[in-house]
């Protein structure tokens, strides 16, 4: 498993909240749902995305925006339009005066809005409802707003999502979950590949002739009892050379990175109700349940059992990218 595959395996929506919203100007939504990650695209008309602490960005039809929570943001037909509806936790919608309009503004299957189905603006949105569905490494690295313009190349997934979101067929929830995952992965993959986009150091380091092979070994075989010496030997360099070079490019020592990767894998495996802590521990390189629990508690602040009960719904540590907006090349 290469570094990119390891990163992009994380998005796994489970009953994600997907919605078609239909509007006539002027319209404005204040999003305060505290969701860890949302994907927004316009299938008709334009919309402005207004994060609280970074510049507004215009979304045109086919553009795909990835918004990282839990901070609030506004979507509107114009930057000066005041929000009229606030979307809160559990996707309940209230006017700015506190009136619940969730049911009153429903327009049918997964469709909602302030106009009929022929509104001039149609927005498709998908919301990951727990951090564990995306992965801590992605959330910690992402800018607050990431946009892939349609002009960078057509994305057929937008059209497929527009067709599928109205359907109510057997297995429809899993179809929509996987479409959301694919749409997110497409944006992430292009962001990571674009020079100067602000991709995390540990991703950029995979192209290094020394650190790249070391990263691939850690990703492919996290269960091995790695030491800096054994990893250096596998790569064919000195222990000191690997430790120095790895820390310079990745931003942390090899064993610290390995711990983070093991716990990322463990967090995903723990979401399987049939998995035992001891079994997960063996899969990711810990000697037993106690060793994994100690590491999990030290790094994530909760035990594996507590993490499982809360479905991973915990805050993610942020990086210096927290107030940054990235618009990929048009």
């Amino acid at each position: 498993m290469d570094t990119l595959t390891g990163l992009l395996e994380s998005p796994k929506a489970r009953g994600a909240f997907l919605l078609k919203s239909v509007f006539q100007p002027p319209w404005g939504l204040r999003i305060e749902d505290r969701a860890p990650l949302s994907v927004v695209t316009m299938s008709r008309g334009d919309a402005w995305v207004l994060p609280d602490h970074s510049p507004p960005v215009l979304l045109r039809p086919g553009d795909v925006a990835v918004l990282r929570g839990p901070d609030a943001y506004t979507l509107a037909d114009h930057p000066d339009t005041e929000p009229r509806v606030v979307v809160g936790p559990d996707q309940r919608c209230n006017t700015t005066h506190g009136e619940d309009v969730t049911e009153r503004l429903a327009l049918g299957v997964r469709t909602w809005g302030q106009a009929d189905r022929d509104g001039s603006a149609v927005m498709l949105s998908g919301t990951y409802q727990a951090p564990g569905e995306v992965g801590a490494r992605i959330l910690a690295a992402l800018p607050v707003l990431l946009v892939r313009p349609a002009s960078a190349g057509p994305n057929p997934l937008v059209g497929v999502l527009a067709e599928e979101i109205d359907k109510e067929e057997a297995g429809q929830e899993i179809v929509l979950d996987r479409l959301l995952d694919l749409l997110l992965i497409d944006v992430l993959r292009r962001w990571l590949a674009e020079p100067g986009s602000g991709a995390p150091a540990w991703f950029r380091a995979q192209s290094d002739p020394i650190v790249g092979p070391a990263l691939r070994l850690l990703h492919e075989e996290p269960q091995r009892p790695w030491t800096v010496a054994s990893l250096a030997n596998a790569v064919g360099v000195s222990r000191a050379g690997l430790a120095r070079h790895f820390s310079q490019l990745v931003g942390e020592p090899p064993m610290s990175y390995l711990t983070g990767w093991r716990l990322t894998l463990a967090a995903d495996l723990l979401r399987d109700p049939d998995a035992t802590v001891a079994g997960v521990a063996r899969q990711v390189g810990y000697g037993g349940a106690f060793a994994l629990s100690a590491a999990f508690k030290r790094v994530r602040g909760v035990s594996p059992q507590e993490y499982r009960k809360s479905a991973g719904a915990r805050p993610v540590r942020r990086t210096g990218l927290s107030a940054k907006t990235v618009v990929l090349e048009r």
Side-chain angles (χ1 to χ4, degrees):
M1 180 191 300
D2 61 38
T3 312
L4 180 58
T5 300
L7 173 73
L8 298 182
E9 269 201 333
S10 295
K12 292 185 176 74
R14 294 168 174 85
F17 187 83
L18 285 111
L19 189 69
K20 175 194 286 187
S21 300
V22 185
F23 304 109
Q24 289 283 8
W27 61 270
L29 295 177
R30 177 71 175 167
I31 311 298
E32 297 180 353
D33 59 4
R34 300 193 62 78
L37 201 69
S38 295
V39 179
V40 175
T41 185
M42 300 301 295
S43 64
R44 183 163 70 232
D46 296 341
W48 284 88
V49 185
L50 299 100
D52 282 1
H53 304 295
S54 57
V57 173
L58 176 63
L59 285 187
R60 299 185 177 94
D63 293 354
V64 181
V66 174
L67 293 125
R68 196 203 66 204
D71 292 347
Y73 57 92
T74 298
L75 296 162
D77 69 300
H78 189 276
D80 295 333
T81 301
E82 291 293 327
R84 300 184 179 186
V85 174
V86 179
V87 180
D90 300 322
Q91 304 301 319
R92 301 300 300 180
C93 302
N94 293 275
T95 68
T96 52
H97 302 295
E99 177 190 359
D100 190 326
V101 293
T102 307
E103 279 74 33
R104 181 162 64 84
L105 296 180
L107 297 175
V109 176
R110 300 186 195 86
T111 305
W112 178 97
Q114 297 167 302
D116 61 26
R117 286 177 173 267
D118 296 322
S120 63
V122 177
M123 178 173 66
L124 309 178
S125 58
T127 301
Y128 290 84
Q129 309 205 58
E133 296 174 358
V134 183
R137 282 195 176 272
I138 291 178
L139 290 178
L142 274 173
V144 70
L145 172 60
L146 176 61
V147 178
R148 180 190 182 277
S151 56
N155 188 333
L157 291 169
V158 174
V160 176
L161 180 61
E163 291 180 8
E164 293 289 337
I165 203 167
D166 286 330
K167 295 180 181 179
E168 195 73 298
E169 300 179 1
Q172 194 64 20
E173 184 176 284
I174 192 68
V175 170
L176 292 172
D177 281 351
R178 296 294 78 81
L179 281 173
L180 179 61
D181 289 343
L182 289 171
L183 197 58
L184 173 60
I185 287 169
D186 179 67
V187 177
L188 293 177
R189 185 169 58 178
R190 293 173 184 273
W191 168 59
L192 290 166
E194 187 167 288
S197 66
W202 48 264
F203 173 79
R204 298 194 303 270
Q206 71 173 341
S207 61
D208 182 82
I210 295 174
V211 178
L215 283 168
R216 283 189 287 277
L217 285 170
L218 296 180
H219 276 253
E220 290 168 359
E221 302 180 81
Q223 76 284 354
R224 281 182 60 175
W226 291 110
T227 64
V228 177
S230 65
L231 186 60
N233 184 63
V235 175
V237 296
S238 71
R239 178 185 181 281
L242 175 63
R244 181 178 62 254
H245 204 51
F246 196 104
S247 296
Q248 287 174 345
L249 292 187
V250 179
E252 61 182 321
M255 295 302 99
S256 174
Y257 180 88
L258 176 59
T259 296
W261 175 236
R262 283 172 168 171
L263 295 181
T264 295
L265 293 175
D268 189 53
L269 292 169
L270 285 165
R271 295 181 64 83
D272 181 351
D274 296 325
T276 65
V277 176
V280 170
R282 289 191 296 271
Q283 290 184 67
V284 301
Y286 285 94
F290 179 79
L292 174 60
S293 296
F296 211 95
K297 180 84 172 182
R298 183 181 70 253
V299 174
R300 294 189 172 235
V302 293
S303 70
Q305 293 88 347
E306 291 168 333
Y307 175 87
R308 171 177 275 165
K309 287 177 183 177
S310 64
R314 296 201 39 98
V316 176
R317 280 181 293 178
R318 301 183 183 181
T319 68
L321 292 173
S322 61
K324 185 176 180 181
T325 295
V326 174
V327 180
L328 302 179
E329 298 241 352
R330 291 187 181 272

